[in-house]
Amino acid sequence: MDISLINLVPLLMAASTPILLAGLGELVVEKSGVLNLGVEGMMIVGAITGFMAAVATGSPTLGFLGGALGGAAMALIFGLLTQGLMSNQVATGLALTLFGLGLSALLGQGFVGLKPPATPKLPVPGLSELPVIGPMLFRHDLMVYLSLAAVAAVWAFLRYSRPGLILRAVGENHAAAHALGYKVTRIRIYAILFGGAMAGLGGAYLSLVRVPQWTEGMTAGAGWIALALVVFAAWRPVPLLVGAYLFGGITVLQLNMQAAGVNVPVELLSMSPYVVTILVLVAMSAAGAAAGAPGSLGRAFHASR
Amino acid sequence: MGAATAALAADPVKVGFVYVGPVNDGGWSQHHHEAAMKLKEHFGDAIELVEQESVPEGPDAERVMTQMALTGADIIFATSFGYMDQVEAVAGKFPNVKFEHATGYKSGPNFANYSARFYEGRAVMGTIAGMMTESNKIGYLASFPIPEVIRGINSSYIHAKKVNPDVEIRVVWLNTWYDPAKEADATQALVEQGVDVVLAHTDSTAPLATLEKSGGYGFGQAADMAQYAPKPRLSSIIDEWAPYYEERVQAVMDGTWETAATWSGIKDGMVGIGEFSDAMPEEVKAKATEVMNAIVDGSYHPFTGPLNKQDGTPWLAEGEVADDGALAGMSFYVEGVTGEIPN
């Protein structure tokens, strides 16, 4: 068996980045008290709009921007329906996923079989030359670093900043936040747009880096895993990172173990990412100060009530 | 035929197709869809086509086929192995509708099955893989542990081994026909383990996209995937369903349709071998052509003894050829393949 961490860790980080980005976006959305089940739909739309932008401009950076915009546009639909028209969030989110799968298939008609411009690796000067650590952690593409920076940023924003505090207040008790004079609907729309952009980025990472090509339905459930990670991480960014890397890591590890010819039953290997992720996150939330769901999660808000 | 077609023109034969993936997956489902398009071109207004894509294997397939039967379909092609039990159930409820199931082994009075001898194509690909590998490690992306996939693994390995006694095969089971990200990850994992030629038994072009990035060779699967030639795509196994579909729909029109178990190979044109890429040296092309020709003229069967099962027990004696029954139900690796088949 010749599986080394040096080979495994970079693959793990690449495999986890889409669910990490999408999960982080959804975490902020849920912290503001909105449940958006349309992550899968926003991801797949981000995957195709990002792919289209990258192919049209030849620039992967503009591609990722296109993915973020595509995801945010989808989120805007959700925001207008649930915040403006006060539709049911669960039903609207599910509809958004179905709509996204269909829309992306339509948009992608002319893009099947094309190759996107390559996303360059950005080795960190100096650090990437370190033995062992260098090839593992510091020779990635920009998005991997950005996703890690985003975890830190979201954590700091929610924990230490005043807007973060307001966002949490809106999520915990929208009536009280409203009474204090905060614009509940507007704040939630911002959060929803952020969530959509992050899901779109995650989708674009799939179509531009991880596969890299456009194929219909290519997210294949990644959005649902991102949603589940938010709950398992108890709405906290750092456990979310752990969960995403764990899930991605075990997925990559089991494929590598099969490829290396390790004699472990395949059934065990296939279910291991799900089992281990659930076990570890359950243990984490049992041990830590269990932060529950935001108090107003999924409830519609209108200033008159 | 002209008169018959004209007579039926007022009441076209309704033909249903059920696909497991999207019709632009670049592989399996797309090829069935293209065959359906050729069918429509061939018969024109004499048939009415109903297609349903991305139908999961399971209860959903039963619903989709029932819907097709209720809305007047005369013949339904269910194009994935996992629809077998659903086809059987629906066929029982609609005795006047003809059902055709791809790659399965069950049948009934109004329920035929058809498949291609992909293992013949695998023999050619395995030969190429065995000669092209420099690390002596070839990889196989396996979808589900069904006889068709196991035959493909065995046939690839046997023929790689024939031209390269040092070759090893690494099999990765994915439990999906279509998940581009997972297919890409698995291909990458194989490359990391020193595999430099990958055979795929899944439906997307993601393995070839990954090989293009990471180096190594692969093959088109179900479709030619020529956009990845000359590297990493060396050749391909192409499914040619259109002639079969035309024959069966014509039989429905003529009232001569009968249940059957069709299993055709390279010779009958159901399995096509894609053009050899220029990345292959002349001797590899020559050897691959030799294997292909021997299969076509009947002088060689890809499963010819002596062959042992994985545990070393004898399966086929010297010169003995596997019969179709044994092939249809194949559930074991041949000697030399490592790992276990999941249940």
PDB file of all heavy atoms in Angstrom, chain A residues 2 7 11 112 115 209-210 213 215-216 220 256 258-260 267 270, chain B residues 24 170 172-173 175 178 180 185 188 192-193 205 212-213 227-228 343:
ATOM      1  N   ASP A   2       0.700   2.044  -0.996  1.00  0.00           N
ATOM      2  CA  ASP A   2       1.534   3.242  -1.056  1.00  0.00           C
ATOM      3  C   ASP A   2       0.673   4.488  -1.172  1.00  0.00           C
ATOM      4  O   ASP A   2       0.662   5.182  -2.168  1.00  0.00           O
ATOM      5  CB  ASP A   2       2.534   3.159  -2.215  1.00  0.00           C
ATOM      6  CG  ASP A   2       1.862   2.645  -3.480  1.00  0.00           C
ATOM      7  OD1 ASP A   2       0.657   2.357  -3.421  1.00  0.00           O
ATOM      8  OD2 ASP A   2       2.538   2.564  -4.515  1.00  0.00           O
ATOM      9  N   ASN A   7       0.331  12.858  -1.194  1.00  0.00           N
ATOM     10  CA  ASN A   7      -0.549  12.748  -2.353  1.00  0.00           C
ATOM     11  C   ASN A   7      -1.992  13.041  -1.985  1.00  0.00           C
ATOM     12  O   ASN A   7      -2.740  13.616  -2.756  1.00  0.00           O
ATOM     13  CB  ASN A   7      -0.496  11.327  -2.922  1.00  0.00           C
ATOM     14  CG  ASN A   7       0.793  11.073  -3.653  1.00  0.00           C
ATOM     15  OD1 ASN A   7       1.442  12.020  -4.105  1.00  0.00           O
ATOM     16  ND2 ASN A   7       1.164   9.826  -3.762  1.00  0.00           N
ATOM     17  N   LEU A  11      -5.443  16.329  -2.869  1.00  0.00           N
ATOM     18  CA  LEU A  11      -6.658  15.816  -3.500  1.00  0.00           C
ATOM     19  C   LEU A  11      -7.865  16.060  -2.604  1.00  0.00           C
ATOM     20  O   LEU A  11      -8.949  16.431  -3.056  1.00  0.00           O
ATOM     21  CB  LEU A  11      -6.531  14.314  -3.755  1.00  0.00           C
ATOM     22  CG  LEU A  11      -5.552  13.873  -4.833  1.00  0.00           C
ATOM     23  CD1 LEU A  11      -5.480  12.355  -4.895  1.00  0.00           C
ATOM     24  CD2 LEU A  11      -5.985  14.422  -6.176  1.00  0.00           C
ATOM     25  N   VAL A 112     -21.455  21.343 -24.050  1.00  0.00           N
ATOM     26  CA  VAL A 112     -21.036  19.971 -23.758  1.00  0.00           C
ATOM     27  C   VAL A 112     -19.825  19.639 -24.615  1.00  0.00           C
ATOM     28  O   VAL A 112     -19.792  19.921 -25.809  1.00  0.00           O
ATOM     29  CB  VAL A 112     -22.192  18.997 -24.049  1.00  0.00           C
ATOM     30  CG1 VAL A 112     -21.723  17.562 -23.875  1.00  0.00           C
ATOM     31  CG2 VAL A 112     -23.362  19.285 -23.139  1.00  0.00           C
ATOM     32  N   LYS A 115     -13.711  22.429 -23.535  1.00  0.00           N
ATOM     33  CA  LYS A 115     -12.736  22.405 -22.438  1.00  0.00           C
ATOM     34  C   LYS A 115     -12.534  23.817 -21.920  1.00  0.00           C
ATOM     35  O   LYS A 115     -12.302  24.729 -22.701  1.00  0.00           O
ATOM     36  CB  LYS A 115     -11.412  21.831 -22.939  1.00  0.00           C
ATOM     37  CG  LYS A 115     -11.545  20.370 -23.301  1.00  0.00           C
ATOM     38  CD  LYS A 115     -10.374  19.887 -24.124  1.00  0.00           C
ATOM     39  CE  LYS A 115     -10.744  18.570 -24.801  1.00  0.00           C
ATOM     40  NZ  LYS A 115      -9.766  18.144 -25.787  1.00  0.00           N
ATOM     41  N   VAL A 209     -12.396  23.267 -12.297  1.00  0.00           N
ATOM     42  CA  VAL A 209     -11.168  22.698 -11.752  1.00  0.00           C
ATOM     43  C   VAL A 209     -11.295  21.194 -11.531  1.00  0.00           C
ATOM     44  O   VAL A 209     -10.469  20.414 -11.995  1.00  0.00           O
ATOM     45  CB  VAL A 209     -10.789  23.359 -10.407  1.00  0.00           C
ATOM     46  CG1 VAL A 209      -9.506  22.768  -9.862  1.00  0.00           C
ATOM     47  CG2 VAL A 209     -10.647  24.861 -10.591  1.00  0.00           C
ATOM     48  N   ARG A 210     -12.339  20.799 -10.848  1.00  0.00           N
ATOM     49  CA  ARG A 210     -12.318  19.435 -10.358  1.00  0.00           C
ATOM     50  C   ARG A 210     -12.581  18.439 -11.470  1.00  0.00           C
ATOM     51  O   ARG A 210     -11.966  17.369 -11.498  1.00  0.00           O
ATOM     52  CB  ARG A 210     -13.339  19.256  -9.234  1.00  0.00           C
ATOM     53  CG  ARG A 210     -13.066  18.004  -8.454  1.00  0.00           C
ATOM     54  CD  ARG A 210     -13.574  18.074  -7.054  1.00  0.00           C
ATOM     55  NE  ARG A 210     -13.935  16.727  -6.625  1.00  0.00           N
ATOM     56  CZ  ARG A 210     -15.081  16.422  -6.079  1.00  0.00           C
ATOM     57  NH1 ARG A 210     -15.996  17.351  -5.899  1.00  0.00           N
ATOM     58  NH2 ARG A 210     -15.324  15.187  -5.715  1.00  0.00           N
ATOM     59  N   GLN A 213     -15.041  20.073 -16.915  1.00  0.00           N
ATOM     60  CA  GLN A 213     -15.862  20.095 -18.119  1.00  0.00           C
ATOM     61  C   GLN A 213     -17.285  20.358 -17.660  1.00  0.00           C
ATOM     62  O   GLN A 213     -17.566  20.291 -16.466  1.00  0.00           O
ATOM     63  CB  GLN A 213     -15.811  18.761 -18.866  1.00  0.00           C
ATOM     64  CG  GLN A 213     -16.279  17.616 -18.015  1.00  0.00           C
ATOM     65  CD  GLN A 213     -16.340  16.271 -18.727  1.00  0.00           C
ATOM     66  OE1 GLN A 213     -17.153  15.457 -18.411  1.00  0.00           O
ATOM     67  NE2 GLN A 213     -15.457  16.052 -19.679  1.00  0.00           N
ATOM     68  N   THR A 215     -20.959  18.877 -17.653  1.00  0.00           N
ATOM     69  CA  THR A 215     -21.893  17.796 -17.952  1.00  0.00           C
ATOM     70  C   THR A 215     -23.134  18.033 -17.113  1.00  0.00           C
ATOM     71  O   THR A 215     -23.045  18.502 -15.981  1.00  0.00           O
ATOM     72  CB  THR A 215     -21.330  16.412 -17.612  1.00  0.00           C
ATOM     73  OG1 THR A 215     -20.481  16.528 -16.495  1.00  0.00           O
ATOM     74  CG2 THR A 215     -20.569  15.819 -18.752  1.00  0.00           C
ATOM     75  N   GLU A 216     -24.254  17.695 -17.704  1.00  0.00           N
ATOM     76  CA  GLU A 216     -25.532  17.938 -17.052  1.00  0.00           C
ATOM     77  C   GLU A 216     -25.586  17.214 -15.712  1.00  0.00           C
ATOM     78  O   GLU A 216     -25.119  16.093 -15.577  1.00  0.00           O
ATOM     79  CB  GLU A 216     -26.626  17.410 -17.978  1.00  0.00           C
ATOM     80  CG  GLU A 216     -27.891  18.207 -17.932  1.00  0.00           C
ATOM     81  CD  GLU A 216     -28.898  17.647 -18.915  1.00  0.00           C
ATOM     82  OE1 GLU A 216     -28.585  17.603 -20.112  1.00  0.00           O
ATOM     83  OE2 GLU A 216     -29.973  17.239 -18.461  1.00  0.00           O
ATOM     84  N   ALA A 220     -24.397  16.330  -8.811  1.00  0.00           N
ATOM     85  CA  ALA A 220     -24.720  14.989  -8.303  1.00  0.00           C
ATOM     86  C   ALA A 220     -24.890  14.944  -6.794  1.00  0.00           C
ATOM     87  O   ALA A 220     -24.346  14.089  -6.115  1.00  0.00           O
ATOM     88  CB  ALA A 220     -23.656  13.984  -8.755  1.00  0.00           C
ATOM     89  N   ASN A 256      -8.679   6.067  -3.202  1.00  0.00           N
ATOM     90  CA  ASN A 256      -7.255   5.749  -3.261  1.00  0.00           C
ATOM     91  C   ASN A 256      -6.965   4.354  -2.723  1.00  0.00           C
ATOM     92  O   ASN A 256      -6.090   3.654  -3.231  1.00  0.00           O
ATOM     93  CB  ASN A 256      -6.443   6.780  -2.466  1.00  0.00           C
ATOM     94  CG  ASN A 256      -5.987   7.914  -3.344  1.00  0.00           C
ATOM     95  OD1 ASN A 256      -4.939   7.843  -3.972  1.00  0.00           O
ATOM     96  ND2 ASN A 256      -6.803   8.951  -3.431  1.00  0.00           N
ATOM     97  N   GLN A 258      -8.977   1.808  -2.818  1.00  0.00           N
ATOM     98  CA  GLN A 258      -9.367   0.853  -3.854  1.00  0.00           C
ATOM     99  C   GLN A 258      -8.314   0.820  -4.951  1.00  0.00           C
ATOM    100  O   GLN A 258      -7.926  -0.243  -5.422  1.00  0.00           O
ATOM    101  CB  GLN A 258     -10.710   1.259  -4.463  1.00  0.00           C
ATOM    102  CG  GLN A 258     -11.899   1.030  -3.571  1.00  0.00           C
ATOM    103  CD  GLN A 258     -13.188   0.995  -4.401  1.00  0.00           C
ATOM    104  OE1 GLN A 258     -13.266   0.330  -5.411  1.00  0.00           O
ATOM    105  NE2 GLN A 258     -14.187   1.718  -3.963  1.00  0.00           N
ATOM    106  N   ALA A 259      -7.855   2.009  -5.361  1.00  0.00           N
ATOM    107  CA  ALA A 259      -6.877   2.086  -6.448  1.00  0.00           C
ATOM    108  C   ALA A 259      -5.558   1.444  -6.046  1.00  0.00           C
ATOM    109  O   ALA A 259      -4.846   0.887  -6.871  1.00  0.00           O
ATOM    110  CB  ALA A 259      -6.665   3.540  -6.847  1.00  0.00           C
ATOM    111  N   ALA A 260      -5.238   1.525  -4.736  1.00  0.00           N
ATOM    112  CA  ALA A 260      -3.982   0.955  -4.267  1.00  0.00           C
ATOM    113  C   ALA A 260      -4.116  -0.545  -4.023  1.00  0.00           C
ATOM    114  O   ALA A 260      -3.146  -1.215  -3.676  1.00  0.00           O
ATOM    115  CB  ALA A 260      -3.536   1.651  -2.980  1.00  0.00           C
ATOM    116  N   GLU A 267     -17.835  -2.242   0.089  1.00  0.00           N
ATOM    117  CA  GLU A 267     -19.057  -1.681   0.679  1.00  0.00           C
ATOM    118  C   GLU A 267     -18.707  -0.799   1.869  1.00  0.00           C
ATOM    119  O   GLU A 267     -19.252   0.291   2.038  1.00  0.00           O
ATOM    120  CB  GLU A 267     -19.992  -2.798   1.165  1.00  0.00           C
ATOM    121  CG  GLU A 267     -20.473  -3.752   0.088  1.00  0.00           C
ATOM    122  CD  GLU A 267     -19.520  -4.909  -0.143  1.00  0.00           C
ATOM    123  OE1 GLU A 267     -18.320  -4.791   0.203  1.00  0.00           O
ATOM    124  OE2 GLU A 267     -19.958  -5.938  -0.681  1.00  0.00           O
ATOM    125  N   SER A 270     -17.176   2.446   0.650  1.00  0.00           N
ATOM    126  CA  SER A 270     -18.121   3.368   0.018  1.00  0.00           C
ATOM    127  C   SER A 270     -18.965   4.122   1.035  1.00  0.00           C
ATOM    128  O   SER A 270     -19.309   5.272   0.833  1.00  0.00           O
ATOM    129  CB  SER A 270     -19.053   2.615  -0.933  1.00  0.00           C
ATOM    130  OG  SER A 270     -18.310   1.959  -1.903  1.00  0.00           O
TER     131      SER A 270
ATOM    132  N   ASN B  24     -27.275  14.263 -23.061  1.00  0.00           N
ATOM    133  CA  ASN B  24     -26.019  14.823 -23.556  1.00  0.00           C
ATOM    134  C   ASN B  24     -24.873  14.476 -22.607  1.00  0.00           C
ATOM    135  O   ASN B  24     -23.978  15.267 -22.368  1.00  0.00           O
ATOM    136  CB  ASN B  24     -26.131  16.337 -23.760  1.00  0.00           C
ATOM    137  CG  ASN B  24     -26.582  17.042 -22.510  1.00  0.00           C
ATOM    138  OD1 ASN B  24     -26.687  16.420 -21.458  1.00  0.00           O
ATOM    139  ND2 ASN B  24     -26.848  18.333 -22.610  1.00  0.00           N
ATOM    140  N   ARG B 170      -5.997  -2.541 -11.452  1.00  0.00           N
ATOM    141  CA  ARG B 170      -6.570  -1.965 -10.240  1.00  0.00           C
ATOM    142  C   ARG B 170      -8.005  -1.569 -10.549  1.00  0.00           C
ATOM    143  O   ARG B 170      -8.242  -0.781 -11.464  1.00  0.00           O
ATOM    144  CB  ARG B 170      -5.777  -0.718  -9.809  1.00  0.00           C
ATOM    145  CG  ARG B 170      -4.331  -1.020  -9.414  1.00  0.00           C
ATOM    146  CD  ARG B 170      -4.285  -1.679  -8.054  1.00  0.00           C
ATOM    147  NE  ARG B 170      -2.986  -2.196  -7.700  1.00  0.00           N
ATOM    148  CZ  ARG B 170      -1.979  -1.445  -7.228  1.00  0.00           C
ATOM    149  NH1 ARG B 170      -2.134  -0.158  -7.096  1.00  0.00           N
ATOM    150  NH2 ARG B 170      -0.844  -2.001  -6.890  1.00  0.00           N
ATOM    151  N   VAL B 172     -11.547   0.145  -9.332  1.00  0.00           N
ATOM    152  CA  VAL B 172     -12.206   1.027  -8.364  1.00  0.00           C
ATOM    153  C   VAL B 172     -13.711   0.985  -8.618  1.00  0.00           C
ATOM    154  O   VAL B 172     -14.170   1.279  -9.724  1.00  0.00           O
ATOM    155  CB  VAL B 172     -11.701   2.486  -8.486  1.00  0.00           C
ATOM    156  CG1 VAL B 172     -12.438   3.386  -7.505  1.00  0.00           C
ATOM    157  CG2 VAL B 172     -10.208   2.553  -8.233  1.00  0.00           C
ATOM    158  N   TRP B 173     -14.460   0.588  -7.589  1.00  0.00           N
ATOM    159  CA  TRP B 173     -15.931   0.537  -7.709  1.00  0.00           C
ATOM    160  C   TRP B 173     -16.522   1.860  -7.293  1.00  0.00           C
ATOM    161  O   TRP B 173     -16.233   2.368  -6.216  1.00  0.00           O
ATOM    162  CB  TRP B 173     -16.489  -0.584  -6.828  1.00  0.00           C
ATOM    163  CG  TRP B 173     -16.109  -1.938  -7.319  1.00  0.00           C
ATOM    164  CD1 TRP B 173     -15.056  -2.701  -6.885  1.00  0.00           C
ATOM    165  CD2 TRP B 173     -16.751  -2.696  -8.356  1.00  0.00           C
ATOM    166  NE1 TRP B 173     -15.013  -3.871  -7.602  1.00  0.00           N
ATOM    167  CE2 TRP B 173     -16.037  -3.909  -8.502  1.00  0.00           C
ATOM    168  CE3 TRP B 173     -17.858  -2.466  -9.167  1.00  0.00           C
ATOM    169  CZ2 TRP B 173     -16.399  -4.878  -9.430  1.00  0.00           C
ATOM    170  CZ3 TRP B 173     -18.216  -3.434 -10.092  1.00  0.00           C
ATOM    171  CH2 TRP B 173     -17.487  -4.621 -10.215  1.00  0.00           C
ATOM    172  N   ASN B 175     -20.118   2.617  -7.678  1.00  0.00           N
ATOM    173  CA  ASN B 175     -21.553   2.523  -7.351  1.00  0.00           C
ATOM    174  C   ASN B 175     -22.375   3.619  -7.993  1.00  0.00           C
ATOM    175  O   ASN B 175     -23.307   4.158  -7.385  1.00  0.00           O
ATOM    176  CB  ASN B 175     -21.765   2.526  -5.835  1.00  0.00           C
ATOM    177  CG  ASN B 175     -21.309   1.219  -5.241  1.00  0.00           C
ATOM    178  OD1 ASN B 175     -21.601   0.154  -5.768  1.00  0.00           O
ATOM    179  ND2 ASN B 175     -20.534   1.291  -4.166  1.00  0.00           N
ATOM    180  N   TYR B 178     -23.101   7.501 -13.330  1.00  0.00           N
ATOM    181  CA  TYR B 178     -22.897   8.869 -13.785  1.00  0.00           C
ATOM    182  C   TYR B 178     -22.694   9.802 -12.616  1.00  0.00           C
ATOM    183  O   TYR B 178     -23.648  10.165 -11.934  1.00  0.00           O
ATOM    184  CB  TYR B 178     -24.124   9.296 -14.605  1.00  0.00           C
ATOM    185  CG  TYR B 178     -23.991  10.648 -15.240  1.00  0.00           C
ATOM    186  CD1 TYR B 178     -23.235  10.799 -16.390  1.00  0.00           C
ATOM    187  CD2 TYR B 178     -24.606  11.752 -14.690  1.00  0.00           C
ATOM    188  CE1 TYR B 178     -23.100  12.043 -16.974  1.00  0.00           C
ATOM    189  CE2 TYR B 178     -24.478  13.001 -15.282  1.00  0.00           C
ATOM    190  CZ  TYR B 178     -23.730  13.138 -16.416  1.00  0.00           C
ATOM    191  OH  TYR B 178     -23.594  14.358 -17.010  1.00  0.00           O
ATOM    192  N   PRO B 180     -19.792  12.747 -12.603  1.00  0.00           N
ATOM    193  CA  PRO B 180     -18.520  13.197 -13.187  1.00  0.00           C
ATOM    194  C   PRO B 180     -17.445  13.500 -12.148  1.00  0.00           C
ATOM    195  O   PRO B 180     -16.274  13.146 -12.344  1.00  0.00           O
ATOM    196  CB  PRO B 180     -18.915  14.451 -13.961  1.00  0.00           C
ATOM    197  CG  PRO B 180     -20.351  14.250 -14.298  1.00  0.00           C
ATOM    198  CD  PRO B 180     -20.937  13.491 -13.144  1.00  0.00           C
ATOM    199  N   ASP B 185     -12.346  12.031  -9.599  1.00  0.00           N
ATOM    200  CA  ASP B 185     -11.555  11.741  -8.403  1.00  0.00           C
ATOM    201  C   ASP B 185     -10.955  10.350  -8.455  1.00  0.00           C
ATOM    202  O   ASP B 185      -9.798  10.132  -8.075  1.00  0.00           O
ATOM    203  CB  ASP B 185     -12.429  11.854  -7.143  1.00  0.00           C
ATOM    204  CG  ASP B 185     -12.703  13.305  -6.765  1.00  0.00           C
ATOM    205  OD1 ASP B 185     -12.028  14.185  -7.326  1.00  0.00           O
ATOM    206  OD2 ASP B 185     -13.584  13.533  -5.922  1.00  0.00           O
ATOM    207  N   GLN B 188      -8.125  10.214 -10.856  1.00  0.00           N
ATOM    208  CA  GLN B 188      -6.962  10.857 -10.238  1.00  0.00           C
ATOM    209  C   GLN B 188      -6.305   9.921  -9.230  1.00  0.00           C
ATOM    210  O   GLN B 188      -5.080   9.809  -9.175  1.00  0.00           O
ATOM    211  CB  GLN B 188      -7.433  12.147  -9.552  1.00  0.00           C
ATOM    212  CG  GLN B 188      -6.315  13.021  -9.030  1.00  0.00           C
ATOM    213  CD  GLN B 188      -5.500  13.627 -10.152  1.00  0.00           C
ATOM    214  OE1 GLN B 188      -6.049  14.082 -11.152  1.00  0.00           O
ATOM    215  NE2 GLN B 188      -4.184  13.623 -10.018  1.00  0.00           N
ATOM    216  N   GLU B 192      -2.495   8.549  -9.224  1.00  0.00           N
ATOM    217  CA  GLU B 192      -1.602   8.704  -8.071  1.00  0.00           C
ATOM    218  C   GLU B 192      -0.967   7.367  -7.684  1.00  0.00           C
ATOM    219  O   GLU B 192       0.112   7.328  -7.112  1.00  0.00           O
ATOM    220  CB  GLU B 192      -2.378   9.229  -6.846  1.00  0.00           C
ATOM    221  CG  GLU B 192      -3.005  10.586  -7.022  1.00  0.00           C
ATOM    222  CD  GLU B 192      -1.993  11.711  -6.883  1.00  0.00           C
ATOM    223  OE1 GLU B 192      -0.938  11.489  -6.262  1.00  0.00           O
ATOM    224  OE2 GLU B 192      -2.277  12.806  -7.410  1.00  0.00           O
ATOM    225  N   GLN B 193      -1.683   6.291  -7.959  1.00  0.00           N
ATOM    226  CA  GLN B 193      -1.165   4.964  -7.599  1.00  0.00           C
ATOM    227  C   GLN B 193      -0.300   4.377  -8.709  1.00  0.00           C
ATOM    228  O   GLN B 193       0.010   3.188  -8.693  1.00  0.00           O
ATOM    229  CB  GLN B 193      -2.324   4.014  -7.280  1.00  0.00           C
ATOM    230  CG  GLN B 193      -3.089   4.385  -6.020  1.00  0.00           C
ATOM    231  CD  GLN B 193      -2.217   4.425  -4.790  1.00  0.00           C
ATOM    232  OE1 GLN B 193      -1.259   3.654  -4.684  1.00  0.00           O
ATOM    233  NE2 GLN B 193      -2.506   5.319  -3.868  1.00  0.00           N
ATOM    234  N   THR B 205     -17.545  11.748 -19.719  1.00  0.00           N
ATOM    235  CA  THR B 205     -16.218  11.930 -20.286  1.00  0.00           C
ATOM    236  C   THR B 205     -15.223  12.440 -19.240  1.00  0.00           C
ATOM    237  O   THR B 205     -14.090  12.760 -19.575  1.00  0.00           O
ATOM    238  CB  THR B 205     -16.271  12.939 -21.452  1.00  0.00           C
ATOM    239  OG1 THR B 205     -16.990  14.083 -21.015  1.00  0.00           O
ATOM    240  CG2 THR B 205     -16.970  12.364 -22.668  1.00  0.00           C
ATOM    241  N   GLU B 212      -6.378  13.898 -19.371  1.00  0.00           N
ATOM    242  CA  GLU B 212      -5.767  14.931 -20.192  1.00  0.00           C
ATOM    243  C   GLU B 212      -4.937  15.870 -19.322  1.00  0.00           C
ATOM    244  O   GLU B 212      -3.876  16.333 -19.711  1.00  0.00           O
ATOM    245  CB  GLU B 212      -6.870  15.714 -20.912  1.00  0.00           C
ATOM    246  CG  GLU B 212      -6.339  16.721 -21.902  1.00  0.00           C
ATOM    247  CD  GLU B 212      -7.460  17.302 -22.736  1.00  0.00           C
ATOM    248  OE1 GLU B 212      -8.448  17.776 -22.140  1.00  0.00           O
ATOM    249  OE2 GLU B 212      -7.347  17.271 -23.966  1.00  0.00           O
ATOM    250  N   LYS B 213      -5.448  16.111 -18.111  1.00  0.00           N
ATOM    251  CA  LYS B 213      -4.785  17.019 -17.187  1.00  0.00           C
ATOM    252  C   LYS B 213      -3.595  16.343 -16.507  1.00  0.00           C
ATOM    253  O   LYS B 213      -2.532  16.926 -16.364  1.00  0.00           O
ATOM    254  CB  LYS B 213      -5.824  17.439 -16.126  1.00  0.00           C
ATOM    255  CG  LYS B 213      -5.573  18.752 -15.469  1.00  0.00           C
ATOM    256  CD  LYS B 213      -6.790  19.199 -14.654  1.00  0.00           C
ATOM    257  CE  LYS B 213      -7.295  18.158 -13.678  1.00  0.00           C
ATOM    258  NZ  LYS B 213      -8.135  18.707 -12.598  1.00  0.00           N
ATOM    259  N   GLN B 227     -13.253  13.826 -29.236  1.00  0.00           N
ATOM    260  CA  GLN B 227     -12.710  15.148 -28.898  1.00  0.00           C
ATOM    261  C   GLN B 227     -11.490  15.036 -27.992  1.00  0.00           C
ATOM    262  O   GLN B 227     -10.755  15.991 -27.818  1.00  0.00           O
ATOM    263  CB  GLN B 227     -13.789  16.042 -28.263  1.00  0.00           C
ATOM    264  CG  GLN B 227     -14.294  15.623 -26.887  1.00  0.00           C
ATOM    265  CD  GLN B 227     -15.507  14.691 -26.949  1.00  0.00           C
ATOM    266  OE1 GLN B 227     -15.634  13.869 -27.848  1.00  0.00           O
ATOM    267  NE2 GLN B 227     -16.402  14.817 -25.979  1.00  0.00           N
ATOM    268  N   TYR B 228     -11.269  13.838 -27.423  1.00  0.00           N
ATOM    269  CA  TYR B 228     -10.093  13.642 -26.571  1.00  0.00           C
ATOM    270  C   TYR B 228      -8.961  12.906 -27.289  1.00  0.00           C
ATOM    271  O   TYR B 228      -7.993  12.481 -26.669  1.00  0.00           O
ATOM    272  CB  TYR B 228     -10.479  12.928 -25.270  1.00  0.00           C
ATOM    273  CG  TYR B 228     -11.275  13.812 -24.359  1.00  0.00           C
ATOM    274  CD1 TYR B 228     -12.654  13.730 -24.311  1.00  0.00           C
ATOM    275  CD2 TYR B 228     -10.652  14.774 -23.565  1.00  0.00           C
ATOM    276  CE1 TYR B 228     -13.395  14.574 -23.494  1.00  0.00           C
ATOM    277  CE2 TYR B 228     -11.370  15.614 -22.747  1.00  0.00           C
ATOM    278  CZ  TYR B 228     -12.747  15.511 -22.707  1.00  0.00           C
ATOM    279  OH  TYR B 228     -13.474  16.346 -21.892  1.00  0.00           O
ATOM    280  N   ASN B 343     -20.887  -7.041  -3.152  1.00  0.00           N
ATOM    281  CA  ASN B 343     -22.166  -7.703  -3.420  1.00  0.00           C
ATOM    282  C   ASN B 343     -23.279  -6.689  -3.589  1.00  0.00           C
ATOM    283  O   ASN B 343     -23.439  -5.828  -2.799  1.00  0.00           O
ATOM    284  CB  ASN B 343     -22.516  -8.627  -2.261  1.00  0.00           C
ATOM    285  CG  ASN B 343     -21.518  -9.743  -2.170  1.00  0.00           C
ATOM    286  OD1 ASN B 343     -21.182 -10.361  -3.180  1.00  0.00           O
ATOM    287  ND2 ASN B 343     -20.986  -9.983  -0.975  1.00  0.00           N
TER     288      ASN B 343
END
